[in-house]
Amino acid sequence: WITIAWYTWILKEIPKYRAADFNPDINNCMGVMLADKDLDTFIVESAERKAGKWPSKVNMEACLHRGKDHMLGPPERDFTVLTEQFVLPATAGDENQWKEWEKRHAREIIETWERYAPNMTWDNVIGYNPVTPYYTANMCKNYAPAGNWCVIDNIPSQFGRTRPIPELANHRMPITNLYATGSAWHPYGSAHSIQGYNCYKIIAEDLGLNKPWYEKGRAF
């Protein structure tokens, strides 16, 4: 249920938001949320996705990446922008359908972006890389079949200390000295280091490794 389309955009210039008239810092914010004020927006989006329909509204985040990471763009550019939007799972369509949705979503993003930042037209775009749930599901098997970026959903039965299931929540696998961790483990799915740290504590307990938290007088 947490399947996302990530598009990395290489731009000629950073987005220049209308909101800068009263909030000058916005043009340099790492994350800007672009959504309307309709309280039913996410209820409708949820219903549409459950019905297998592409979201009728764009509610996206734009993340400005500064720094000369040449893996993200040409050497002469010192920024790229990542956009995020919840969309359908990979299983909702075949490869041809997802190719159509890729292009559709790119158009939707620019149409939405331009309303908030007038310079965000296609003339400002050097290129973009669309990463959809279909791509994610086919990139690594642990994301299949839905292309769920957190491997499993953040639902009540898969959230907190029993994630992913109680029998595997302590990171110990049925094979001795084999441990697993990642976004599918507690406390919840996301991109952070908590799961790895929790896993190390279990490994340290089993294998007698250093426990720096005790050395610093902490319980964590």
Side-chain angles (χ1 to χ4, degrees):
W1 193 240
I2 43 179
T3 49
I4 293 178
W6 281 301
Y7 283 38
T8 298
W9 300 80
I10 304 172
L11 308 175
K12 296 176 183 177
E13 61 181 10
I14 64 174
K16 297 179 179 178
Y17 293 100
R18 298 179 188 275
D21 291 343
F22 59 87
N23 181 8
D25 294 333
I26 193 171
N27 288 337
N28 290 300
C29 284
M30 179 181 174
V32 177
M33 308 301 297
L34 306 180
D36 58 39
K37 295 181 180 180
D38 184 354
L39 297 180
D40 291 331
T41 289
F42 294 108
I43 296 174
V44 172
E45 179 184 297
S46 178
E48 288 173 338
R49 291 172 60 211
K50 286 180 179 177
K53 297 181 179 179
W54 193 263
S56 58
K57 287 184 178 180
V58 174
N59 294 288
M60 71 180 208
E61 179 178 14
C63 301
L64 177 63
H65 293 165
R66 285 193 175 273
K68 293 185 180 296
D69 186 341
H70 299 162
M71 293 182 66
L72 296 177
E76 65 272 15
R77 299 293 168 185
D78 66 351
F79 60 85
T80 59
V81 180
L82 175 74
T83 57
E84 294 186 3
Q85 160 104 20
F86 285 97
V87 294
L88 295 174
T91 52
D94 59 19
E95 184 176 5
N96 291 332
Q97 179 67 74
W98 274 103
K99 286 298 180 183
E100 293 179 12
W101 284 337
E102 278 184 13
K103 296 176 183 178
R104 170 181 174 173
H105 189 51
R107 294 193 298 268
E108 292 173 340
I109 289 174
I110 294 299
E111 290 171 2
T112 303
W113 222 343
E114 187 179 2
R115 295 202 301 268
Y116 296 88
N119 71 320
M120 279 310 305
T121 66
W122 283 108
D123 289 337
N124 191 32
V125 177
I126 297 174
Y128 67 93
N129 179 41
V131 175
T132 64
Y134 185 83
Y135 173 91
T136 302
N138 286 278
M139 179 183 64
C140 294
K141 290 183 178 180
N142 60 314
Y143 293 118
N148 185 327
W149 70 296
C150 288
V151 183
I152 61 174
D153 281 337
N154 289 324
I155 59 176
S157 63
Q158 297 175 170
F159 196 89
R161 66 176 59 193
T162 60
R163 183 180 174 90
I165 58 175
E167 292 81 1
L168 301 178
N170 64 8
H171 301 281
R172 298 181 179 97
M173 297 297 101
I175 300 174
T176 302
N177 293 339
L178 179 64
Y179 303 84
T181 190
S183 192
W185 268 258
H186 51 80
Y188 57 89
S190 188
H192 47 59
S193 60
I194 297 175
Q195 291 97 339
Y197 182 63
N198 289 340
C199 186
Y200 174 78
K201 293 181 75 173
I202 295 295
I203 295 173
E205 180 180 327
D206 291 354
L207 304 183
L209 303 180
N210 291 337
K211 299 179 180 180
W213 54 94
Y214 287 151
E215 296 169 6
K216 296 180 179 181
R218 303 196 312 253
F220 55 89

